[in-house]
Amino acid sequence: MVAKISLGNSLYGALVYNGEKVNKEKGRLLDTNKIYNDGSGTINIHRAYEDFLRWMPAHTKTERPMMHISLNPHPDDRLSDTDYTRLAHEYMQKMGLGDMPYLVFKHEDIDRHHIHIVALRVGTDGKAVSDKNNFYRSKDICRELEKKYNLHPAEQQKVSPDTPIKIIDPSGDLKRQVANIVKLVGMRYRFQTMGEFNAILSLYNVKAEQTDGCVNGRIYHGLVYFATDNAGNVIAAPFKASRIGKFASRTAIDGRFERAGKEIGDKGLAHHTRRVVASVLAQSSGMDDFIERLKAERIDVLFRHTEEGRIYGVTFIDHNTMCVLNGSRLGKEFSANAFEQRFNSASSETLPVAAPDIENHVENSDRQDNEDNAFTDDGFSAGNSHQHSVGNENSGRDYDDYLPSIPGLDLFQTGPGFDPEEEAFYRAMQRRKKKGRRPKF
C-alpha cells in the first residue's frame, strides 16, 4: 500500500475536490471522525467545513493546518468498503492522528480504487501534530498493515530516465499521469521556451500555462498543467504545479530553459537537426511527405496554421538529440515564412527547390540564433504529433508576446509569425525618430 501525504491550508479546496468525486458518482463518503455523517455516502460540503472550523483553534502558528492523505493498495487487492474504512482508521491511529477530525472518502474514478482522508493536524490548543519523519513512519505503517491484512506489497513506482513516456489515458489517474509526463519530459528533453516545452508535452496530451498575478501585494509567477484529448481539448480541471511537484514549478522549468540553451549551444546539437531537416526538405514533394520523411528520421515537426491556412509557426522535436527547436533557431530557411512560401504559396509549384546552405548556418549559428530569438515561432496548438493544423483568431501576435487576459483561458491564441527583416526595419526607424527629437525645455 502506498500512502501520499500533502500538507496545506486550503481545507475548503480539499473538501470540494472530494465532494466533486462524490457528486459525479465517482466516489463516496465511507466514514468520518468528529464530523457529521448522515450515513448516505454523500457529503454536505458547507456543513462539513463548518464542523471542521469548530475544531480549529482561534490562534495557531501552524501555516498548513490541514492534511490530505491518499492510501493506495496494490491493484490486485480487492477490498470492501468495510476493509477500506478499517484501514483508514488504523492508519490514522498509528500516525498519531486518531483523535483529530477527519473524513474518509473512497475514489472509484479509476480501476485502482483507493481512499482519501481529509484531516486537521492542529489541536484545539493550537499545537500541530508532529510531522517529523512522516514519510518513513508512513511507509513502515503501510508495510505493517499489508502483513496484518494479507495485502500485496506495493511500492511507489520510481521514475527514471529510461521509463517510457505514455500518452494520457482519460480513464486513469490524470494527476499522476500528468506528473509523470512532466517529470520525464524535463529529465529527457531540452527546450528553451514555453512554446517548445508545450510542443513536446503535446505529444502526450498535456499542456502548460503560465499564471502571473498579484495577491495581497505579492507578485507571483506560477504554472498550471492540463490534460487534453487528441484534439487538444481540456478534459479535466487544471493541476497547479505545487500539487504535482517541485520539478514542475515555474522556477524549475525556467532553470531548464537556461541549462538547455547552454547545452544546445556548447554541444552544437542544433546542427544535427538542421542537417537532417535540410536533407529531408530537399527530397520532399509536399508538407505531408516532409512530415513522414522526418518521422522516419525520428524527428517530429509541428506546423501551426491560421484559420486561413497560413503557416505562422513551426517546431521540430528531435528525438535523437532530445532537443525541441523552433524553426527560427535553425535559420531563416526553416522559419514559418519559408515553409509558407514553400508549401502554401501558389508560385512555389513552379519554382525549383534548392537545399538550404547548411555550412553557412553552421558557421554563424550563434549569431543566427540570437537574431531569430526576437522573432521566435513559439506559438503552439496542443494535440498529438499527427495534428499540425489549428485555427486562430488572434492574427497579429507571436506566442511569447501573448499573455492571456484571464488566467486559465485561451493559452494558445497565436497569430502568424513576423517577418524578421520588416520588423528590424521598423524598429530601426523608431530609434531614428527618437534620436531626432529635440529636447523640451
Side-chain angles (χ1 to χ4, degrees):
M1 183 168 64
V2 176
K4 292 184 177 182
I5 303 175
S6 299
L7 304 182
N9 54 16
S10 180
L11 172 62
Y12 191 77
L15 292 175
V16 170
Y17 171 75
N18 288 279
E20 286 182 349
K21 298 286 185 181
V22 175
N23 293 337
K24 295 179 180 179
E25 298 183 350
K26 294 182 178 180
R28 61 194 311 267
L29 179 66
L30 295 183
D31 204 1
T32 66
N33 189 57
K34 297 186 177 180
I35 303 295
Y36 175 75
N37 179 14
D38 63 7
S40 66
T42 61
I43 178 177
N44 182 320
I45 295 175
H46 180 72
R47 174 159 186 174
Y49 182 68
E50 292 294 330
D51 285 351
F52 272 112
L53 291 183
R54 292 189 182 96
W55 293 98
M56 183 76 77
H59 301 286
T60 179
K61 294 181 179 180
T62 304
E63 295 182 356
R64 295 181 292 178
M66 59 81 57
M67 62 196 315
H68 196 168
I69 305 168
S70 68
L71 298 180
N72 306 269
H74 191 280
D76 293 337
D77 290 324
R78 293 291 181 262
L79 304 175
S80 66
D81 289 352
T82 301
D83 294 331
Y84 278 119
T85 302
R86 185 166 61 245
L87 275 177
H89 286 308
E90 287 199 38
Y91 176 86
M92 294 295 284
Q93 193 68 40
K94 292 178 181 296
M95 286 290 291
L97 299 163
D99 292 332
M100 304 304 294
Y102 62 83
L103 304 173
V104 181
F105 296 91
K106 178 184 178 184
H107 285 198
E108 302 172 341
D109 51 336
I110 58 177
D111 292 336
R112 179 184 50 76
H113 291 180
H114 55 287
I115 53 179
H116 282 234
I117 305 171
V118 178
L120 284 184
R121 57 185 289 264
V122 179
T124 53
D125 58 358
K127 295 182 180 180
V129 176
S130 175
D131 60 354
K132 186 177 181 180
N133 296 323
N134 254 356
F135 173 80
Y136 297 104
R137 290 167 53 211
S138 176
K139 189 173 183 179
D140 291 340
I141 292 170
C142 287
R143 299 291 83 78
E144 183 181 341
L145 293 175
E146 286 173 350
K147 292 179 181 179
K148 181 177 181 178
Y149 294 103
N150 295 318
L151 303 177
H152 292 82
E155 292 283 352
Q156 186 170 353
Q157 184 180 4
K158 294 182 179 180
V159 175
S160 70
D162 297 327
T163 303
I165 309 179
K166 299 180 180 179
I167 195 170
I168 286 289
D169 176 6
S171 64
D173 186 339
L174 293 180
K175 178 185 173 184
R176 176 174 294 182
Q177 292 181 77
V178 169
N180 285 343
I181 290 170
V182 172
K183 189 168 189 176
L184 287 169
V185 163
M187 294 169 65
R188 197 167 298 174
Y189 288 89
R190 301 175 180 90
F191 38 82
Q192 301 175 66
T193 65
M194 280 301 299
E196 291 174 349
F197 183 37
N198 268 311
I200 181 61
L201 288 179
S202 75
L203 298 185
Y204 309 103
N205 287 2
V206 174
K207 69 178 181 180
E209 179 178 338
Q210 295 176 332
T211 55
D212 300 312
C214 182
V215 176
N216 296 328
R218 296 180 60 184
I219 298 175
Y220 68 88
H221 303 284
L223 281 177
V224 293
Y225 294 87
F226 299 83
T228 70
D229 58 19
N230 290 338
N233 302 311
V234 174
I235 60 175
F239 301 102
K240 293 195 299 183
S242 59
R243 289 190 59 204
I244 294 178
K246 291 183 178 179
F247 58 85
S249 69
R250 180 78 167 267
T251 300
I253 298 304
D254 286 346
R256 294 189 185 281
F257 292 164
E258 184 176 353
R259 291 194 298 274
K262 294 179 180 178
E263 291 177 1
I264 292 173
D266 294 343
K267 299 178 181 179
L269 299 176
H271 300 332
H272 172 273
T273 307
R274 185 183 297 120
R275 292 178 189 277
V276 175
V277 172
S279 176
V280 170
L281 184 60
Q283 305 172 49
S284 301
S285 59
M287 179 183 290
D288 292 338
D289 186 39
F290 179 56
I291 293 172
E292 292 305 315
R293 286 178 180 270
L294 278 181
K295 276 188 176 296
E297 300 290 341
R298 299 188 70 241
I299 297 178
D300 279 308
V301 56
L302 302 171
F303 289 102
R304 299 174 293 285
H305 298 76
T306 64
E307 289 184 345
E308 294 75 23
R310 175 182 170 80
I311 298 173
Y312 69 85
V314 57
T315 303
F316 296 94
I317 303 174
D318 192 334
H319 301 288
N320 304 291
T321 61
M322 298 301 187
C323 291
V324 186
L325 300 160
N326 294 314
S328 58
R329 294 191 190 280
L330 301 183
K332 293 181 180 179
E333 291 87 345
F334 309 99
S335 67
N337 286 336
F339 283 110
E340 169 65 22
Q341 294 176 7
R342 171 69 185 272
F343 294 135
N344 286 347
S345 176
S347 59
S348 65
E349 298 179 0
T350 61
L351 294 176
V353 176
D357 182 358
I358 301 304
E359 297 304 324
N360 180 57
H361 284 295
V362 172
E363 294 174 1
N364 299 284
S365 60
D366 292 338
R367 177 179 59 81
Q368 182 66 58
D369 286 344
N370 290 335
E371 290 177 356
D372 286 342
N373 278 345
F375 314 105
T376 175
D377 305 271
D378 218 9
F380 184 71
S381 171
N384 62 25
S385 59
H386 300 287
Q387 296 168 327
H388 49 267
S389 177
V390 64
N392 188 281
E393 297 179 358
N394 298 278
S395 58
R397 307 184 70 177
D398 183 73
Y399 177 88
D400 282 337
D401 293 331
Y402 173 76
L403 291 176
S405 57
I406 302 177
L409 297 180
D410 303 327
L411 170 63
F412 301 111
Q413 296 185 5
T414 53
F418 292 112
D419 184 297
E421 294 181 0
E422 291 183 6
E423 194 70 12
F425 175 77
Y426 171 78
R427 291 179 180 177
M429 292 300 294
Q430 291 294 101
R431 287 196 294 270
R432 289 180 184 177
K433 288 181 180 180
K434 290 181 180 179
K435 289 182 181 180
R437 292 174 183 170
R438 295 181 179 179
K440 295 181 180 180
F441 298 97

